[in-house]
Amino acid sequence: TGNETLVQSDNEVFISNKQMEASFGGDSILILFTDEEKGNLFSLENIQKMWQVEQRFQYEDNIFSFMSPASVVHQLTQRQSTEIKKQVLMLSEGLEEMKGKMSGLAFGAFATMGEKLGDVSKGLSTFHSKSGMMVADIPGSQEELDNVLYDENGQMRSLFSNVVIDDKNSLMVVKLTGNLGDEYKDQIAKDLTSALEKQDFTSISYVISGKPVLDSSLRNEMKTNMVMMVGLAVMFMLIVLGLVFKVRWRMLSLGIIMVSVIATIGFMGILSVPITMVSMAVFPILIGLGIDYSIQFHNRFEEEKSVRRTMTQIGKAVAIAVFATVLGFISLYASPVPMIQDFGKMLTIGVIISFLGSVLLLLPILTLRNKNDKQTQQHAALKEIIQKETVLDKILKFSTKKVIKFSIPILIVVIGLSVTGFLVDGKVGVQTDIETFMPQDMHALKDIHFIRDTVGSTDQVVLYMKARDILTQENIDWIQTQTKNIEEKYSDIVVGVKSLDTLVSNLAPDTALSSQEYIDMVDTLPKQQVSMFLNDDHSESVILLNIKHLPTEDLQKFISQLKDDTANTSMKVQITGKSVLDVEMVNGLTSGRIKMTIIGLALVFAALLIIYRNPFKALIPILPVVLIIGMSSGIMYLLNIRFTPITATLGALVLGMGTEMTVMLLERYLEERRTGKDKLESMLITVTMIGKAIVASGLTTIGGFSVLMTSEFIILRDFGFMTVINITLALLSTFIVLPAIIILLDRLLLSKHEFEKIRILKETKKSRLAT
């Protein structure tokens, strides 16, 4: 769930965000304390409990900083302690000076007084030298605590503005070390929860949230969803195979694909391919898609009764289909979004393993089964299966005759719908708000929404500045001006601006500080707070913009305006942060989606052209798929379904899966034509002999994707819905669009030599009939 799943590691925003996190920390865990009764929030008991939680983690390397009312109180008492120590030293030095002057006087009383002052000075000096042993702590009484919290007018001191929202709500912000692994984030979140529970807050309530907590909950939800989806996919396959695929040992294909899925998981581990919100959809997809190859081989084996003839007749067709599918999936690698690339890798691995499983497991098992059968039983069963015309066979024959009869009108209508879809493709929106992808009833999601509503923001944009020395007059002036300008110009977007200047302004006794006074002031500020805005060697600084949760388009516009606003400075200023990474993902989706589809089409066409050495034979399998891609965009526009990181892959997926069906039908048609049959007879035999296998495989693929519609993840639900529509269109086009195209272009599919051979076979057949 990390940033590396959203954008490439060589992306400028990714690099700047990584550098920024290394200097100023990463994600924050937020604890919102709420006092419904009013009056207990800043009680001594509660402040002490907050401080004890912080003390529990003071040696935790993976925490960058702690910020809460308790830590601010402690910083102020520390500062007061430092001031007292300075005053003691000054008093000691002053008394020592007075002693020297009094000792020089002739009057004995003054000399004696000078000696006593010297003794007091010595005592104060000793007190100062030992003062390091005294540690500033939370005040011991409510009265002392109130003096730290409130000024002489009874108002909360401005230094608490970052952690105190109002008199009923306050925050504890636990900023984690930058670029931290998920396992460390999870552990800190667990330890924080445990530490808070041990303190037993009774008078106030608290909510723990933030991106690390949400991500942890998300990962657990993903695991649960994957198990559920795989289980449902298996159940659906059992039903489809039982109803549609009428052969002996029909459930064997399901067993083969389960072995293939397990092998795919193993290879994912070896190749370190992670599971993301996108790639978690792979397993039900693979069950539906990979079973195709087993069904095709199984169906032909029952027809041919021989592994050798099965491999000779259909091996090439399935291999070409697998190759075309893999090329379609390889086009996903062209996406600039890493989670889509990983999705492509997993699909590619899974498809290849499924094909090998069909050849190396299914066919040997079927051969062993037949060897153990009595030959007569085998022939009788096969004869019954081959001769018996099913309801599906009758439907396919009838529809094929009608399609061939009305081929021209059908093609005109389909092409018209597809072109319309392509025209509205640019109007389909893009959705990349990750919170809208996940289950909306997740407790962690409700918590982060509650905190956002209370605090005003959980989203952040960072102005990351680099210079040889940040603390020059020019740079300080720029930071001051920019901080004020952003607050005024973007008051409708920016909830709060935090920078080194806001920190100095909160503590400075005078608003008009000179450059040197400003630098001196920075040196006196609590180091823990300064480190949030300025690194140790003063070469890097940040301005943190807490912003409202914006739609993608508005966020893009805001970031673009910020870039223009921050261009005029000698410092290197980069706009970065988690929100900016989300925008980069949007750009990757919008630019990469069309690119992926075009690359996929080009790869599949080039491969088929090399295999067939005939441009028309290479074009025919992908023509129906291109028409489907166009219609798919039109359907998304009509149903107001937006592109997400996973629906952006639809073009490449349909290309990979749809081409498999069209290649299988084309290959069987050409096989029948080469035996001397005419066009209509060849097509009717093709759709009846291979039809039930294509329908079965198509329905199992639809089943695999339809399972995604049951997912709690909205991103998978929309993807499942659109893919079911697309695969259904692919299945229909295989039996409606493709036969019409093949019949129309028949003369261009076979060579002169093949046509001559067909002519001779026909004449031979006629002469035999005449005889």
Side-chain angles (χ1 to χ4, degrees):
T1 56
N3 295 336
E4 65 279 358
T5 67
L6 306 178
V7 292
Q8 295 277 28
S9 57
D10 60 354
N11 181 284
E12 187 181 341
V13 176
F14 181 88
I15 293 167
S16 63
N17 188 74
K18 192 171 184 178
Q19 291 171 347
M20 183 272 294
E21 285 197 8
S23 298
F24 300 104
D27 294 324
S28 294
I29 296 175
L30 307 175
I31 299 101
L32 178 66
F33 293 98
T34 302
D35 176 21
E36 296 294 343
E37 299 299 321
K38 219 173 184 181
N40 294 317
L41 189 58
F42 305 114
S43 69
L44 181 62
E45 179 191 359
N46 287 329
I47 294 294
Q48 285 176 335
K49 285 180 178 180
M50 290 180 199
W51 181 241
Q52 284 165 11
V53 171
E54 292 193 34
Q55 288 295 93
R56 156 76 176 76
F57 295 94
Q58 63 179 319
Y59 301 114
E60 174 58 69
D61 292 335
N62 294 323
I63 291 180
F64 181 81
S65 66
F66 249 104
M67 190 62 63
S68 74
S71 58
V72 177
V73 165
H74 181 260
Q75 287 163 15
L76 285 173
T77 56
Q78 257 188 335
R79 200 168 176 207
Q80 288 174 352
S81 172
T82 304
E83 287 298 318
I84 290 169
K85 290 172 188 177
K86 283 182 184 176
Q87 294 294 333
V88 166
L89 184 59
M90 287 171 63
L91 188 59
S92 171
E93 290 171 350
L95 290 171
E96 187 64 34
E97 188 180 341
M98 285 178 67
K99 173 199 167 186
K101 289 179 179 178
M102 289 180 127
S103 298
L105 296 172
F107 303 104
F110 281 108
T112 304
M113 191 179 289
E115 287 296 324
K116 288 186 177 181
L117 286 174
D119 291 340
V120 175
S121 173
K122 193 179 290 183
L124 289 172
S125 179
T126 304
F127 176 80
H128 180 268
S129 65
K130 301 291 184 183
S131 64
M133 297 169 63
M134 297 185 297
V135 179
D137 205 347
I138 301 297
S141 69
Q142 187 66 48
E143 185 180 359
E144 289 175 10
L145 176 61
D146 288 344
N147 286 333
V148 175
L149 290 167
Y150 306 101
D151 60 20
E152 59 275 5
N153 298 319
Q155 298 298 314
M156 181 72 67
R157 295 185 190 276
S158 58
L159 196 62
F160 289 89
S161 61
N162 291 334
V163 289
V164 176
I165 299 150
D166 51 41
D167 55 359
K168 291 175 64 176
N169 298 283
S170 68
L171 273 178
M172 178 182 283
V173 182
V174 185
K175 200 172 187 69
L176 306 181
T177 303
N179 309 306
L180 202 60
D182 289 338
E183 65 275 18
Y184 300 110
K185 293 178 184 178
D186 289 351
Q187 191 57 52
I188 291 170
K190 287 177 187 174
D191 292 344
L192 261 174
T193 304
S194 176
L196 286 160
E197 286 172 354
K198 283 181 181 177
Q199 291 306 316
D200 191 25
F201 289 89
T202 52
S203 59
I204 58 175
S205 60
Y206 60 85
V207 173
I208 306 172
S209 189
K211 187 177 182 297
V213 177
L214 183 62
D215 284 350
S216 178
S217 178
L218 186 61
R219 284 189 288 275
N220 291 330
E221 197 72 28
M222 283 163 66
K223 291 173 189 175
T224 306
N225 256 261
M226 278 194 295
V227 172
M228 180 197 76
M229 288 191 298
V230 169
L232 285 172
V234 172
M235 285 177 58
F236 196 93
M237 298 305 133
L238 288 169
I239 294 168
V240 171
L241 291 173
L243 292 176
V244 180
F245 195 45
K246 301 292 185 180
V247 296
R248 300 167 67 209
W249 287 30
R250 66 191 73 175
M251 299 303 169
L252 179 59
S253 294
L254 186 57
I256 300 300
I257 194 58
M258 292 310 296
V259 173
S260 301
V261 167
I262 293 167
T264 303
I265 295 170
F267 272 98
M268 282 172 59
I270 292 167
L271 300 175
S272 300
V273 179
I275 292 174
T276 64
M277 264 198 292
V278 172
S279 61
M280 67 182 282
V282 158
F283 303 113
I285 290 172
L286 272 185
I287 292 171
L289 181 60
I291 206 170
D292 283 6
Y293 311 125
S294 294
I295 288 173
Q296 293 291 354
F297 278 117
H298 195 162
N299 183 66
R300 195 58 182 255
F301 180 86
E302 296 293 356
E303 187 182 331
E304 301 292 345
K305 308 182 291 292
S306 160
V307 170
R308 185 185 295 277
R309 284 196 294 275
T310 298
M311 289 301 294
T312 303
Q313 297 295 338
I314 201 175
K316 178 189 170 185
V318 176
I320 292 170
V322 170
F323 188 46
T325 304
V326 166
L327 288 175
F329 293 156
I330 284 175
S331 67
L332 295 173
Y333 301 175
S335 171
V337 182
M339 66 168 76
I340 292 180
Q341 293 178 2
D342 291 334
F343 186 47
K345 289 174 192 172
M346 291 168 67
L347 285 170
T348 304
I349 293 167
V351 164
I352 292 170
I353 290 175
S354 299
F355 172 70
L356 293 175
S358 302
V359 175
L360 302 177
L361 286 177
L362 181 128
L363 292 178
I365 290 171
L366 291 175
T367 303
L368 289 171
R369 179 203 71 181
N370 283 3
K371 280 185 179 178
N372 292 326
D373 276 354
K374 290 182 180 178
Q375 204 70 16
T376 53
Q377 289 177 343
Q378 181 185 353
H379 280 303
L382 285 167
K383 189 176 180 182
E384 185 183 347
I385 291 167
I386 291 168
Q387 289 181 348
K388 189 177 179 181
E389 189 175 55
T390 64
V391 175
L392 180 61
D393 291 338
K394 291 175 183 176
I395 292 170
L396 290 173
K397 271 187 179 180
F398 176 78
S399 64
T400 303
K401 288 175 182 177
K402 293 296 179 184
V403 162
I404 293 169
K405 185 178 179 181
F406 300 104
S407 57
I408 301 296
I410 287 171
L411 288 175
I412 290 171
V413 171
V414 172
I415 291 169
L417 290 172
S418 182
V419 169
T420 306
F422 279 120
L423 290 174
V424 299
D425 180 83
K427 296 180 182 179
V428 179
V430 179
Q431 177 62 272
T432 56
D433 184 350
I434 291 177
E435 288 182 17
T436 63
F437 298 160
M438 56 188 70
Q440 297 301 291
D441 60 351
M442 272 175 61
H443 192 66
L445 185 61
K446 290 179 180 178
D447 285 346
I448 204 166
H449 286 166
F450 174 72
I451 288 184
R452 184 180 296 146
D453 293 340
T454 306
V455 177
S457 171
T458 55
D459 295 353
Q460 198 172 75
V461 171
V462 182
L463 271 62
Y464 177 43
M465 298 161 284
K466 290 181 182 179
R468 183 167 292 178
D469 182 12
I470 295 289
L471 297 180
T472 63
Q473 182 66 55
E474 182 187 358
N475 293 338
I476 291 169
D477 288 345
W478 189 88
I479 292 171
Q480 288 177 316
T481 305
Q482 202 64 47
T483 301
K484 290 184 179 72
N485 286 347
I486 290 171
E487 284 179 325
E488 293 170 5
K489 185 176 179 180
Y490 303 107
S491 57
D492 57 330
I493 295 174
V494 178
V495 176
V497 182
K498 297 175 185 176
S499 67
L500 184 65
D501 189 61
T502 53
L503 189 61
V504 172
S505 300
N506 284 337
L507 289 170
D510 186 7
T511 53
L513 295 175
S514 68
S515 178
Q516 190 56 50
E517 286 173 334
Y518 197 100
I519 294 166
D520 293 341
M521 183 72 185
V522 169
D523 292 336
T524 64
L525 294 175
K527 188 177 179 183
Q528 190 180 33
Q529 290 209 22
V530 174
S531 66
M532 293 170 64
F533 304 105
L534 186 69
N535 68 343
D536 291 339
D537 63 1
H538 298 177
S539 63
E540 298 175 25
S541 183
V542 289
I543 299 176
L544 308 177
L545 311 180
N546 291 325
I547 62 170
K548 291 178 181 177
H549 196 65
L550 297 174
T552 304
E553 295 81 5
D554 294 345
L555 187 57
Q556 282 177 311
K557 186 179 176 182
F558 173 60
I559 291 167
S560 178
Q561 289 174 326
L562 276 179
K563 286 178 180 177
D564 293 338
D565 294 343
T566 56
N568 187 24
T569 174
S570 58
M571 293 184 287
K572 182 182 180 181
V573 181
Q574 294 171 293
I575 315 295
T576 189
K578 183 68 181 67
S579 297
V580 187
L581 283 167
D582 286 344
V583 168
E584 287 298 303
M585 182 176 70
V586 177
N587 295 334
L589 288 176
T590 50
S591 64
R593 180 174 59 83
I594 297 170
K595 180 182 172 185
M596 283 187 297
T597 306
I598 292 171
I599 288 174
L601 287 168
L603 285 173
V604 173
F605 178 74
L608 293 177
L609 187 60
I610 292 168
I611 292 167
Y612 290 132
R613 297 177 186 177
N614 181 327
F616 295 101
K617 283 170 74 174
L619 189 62
I620 282 175
I622 62 173
L623 268 179
V625 178
V626 173
L627 297 173
I628 292 164
I629 293 169
M631 287 188 283
S632 175
S633 296
I635 291 168
M636 289 186 73
Y637 176 75
L638 288 174
L639 299 178
N640 196 27
I641 296 174
R642 293 186 170 195
F643 285 114
T644 65
I646 192 164
T647 51
T649 67
L650 279 172
L653 282 173
V654 173
L655 175 63
M657 294 179 289
T659 307
E660 183 247 341
M661 294 183 196
T662 55
V663 165
M664 294 300 297
L665 191 132
L666 175 64
E667 281 289 319
R668 184 59 188 257
Y669 173 80
L670 294 174
E671 181 188 330
E672 295 301 329
R673 282 287 277 141
R674 290 185 187 111
T675 61
K677 300 179 183 74
D678 62 24
K679 292 189 289 187
L680 180 60
E681 186 185 2
S682 295
M683 187 57 73
L684 290 174
I685 291 172
T686 296
V687 294
T688 51
M689 296 307 293
I690 202 172
K692 63 185 174 187
I694 290 178
V695 170
S697 63
L699 289 177
T700 53
T701 306
I702 289 169
F705 281 99
S706 64
V707 164
L708 299 176
M709 293 164 62
T710 65
S711 173
E712 293 292 323
F713 284 78
I714 294 171
I715 186 174
L716 294 185
R717 210 181 296 164
D718 288 348
F719 174 63
F721 175 70
M722 278 311 303
T723 315
V724 165
I725 289 175
N726 285 337
I727 300 302
T728 303
L729 289 174
L731 192 58
L732 291 172
S733 72
T734 303
F735 294 108
I736 296 173
V737 178
L738 189 61
I741 294 173
I742 290 173
I743 294 296
L744 286 173
L745 300 179
D746 178 81
R747 292 291 305 174
L748 303 169
L749 299 179
L750 297 167
S751 65
K752 289 181 180 179
H753 173 71
E754 286 173 318
F755 273 115
E756 181 60 25
K757 189 177 177 183
I758 290 168
R759 187 185 64 78
I760 293 167
L761 286 169
K762 281 184 177 179
E763 288 178 359
T764 305
K765 189 176 179 181
K766 281 181 183 178
S767 63
R768 282 178 182 170
L769 286 169
T771 304

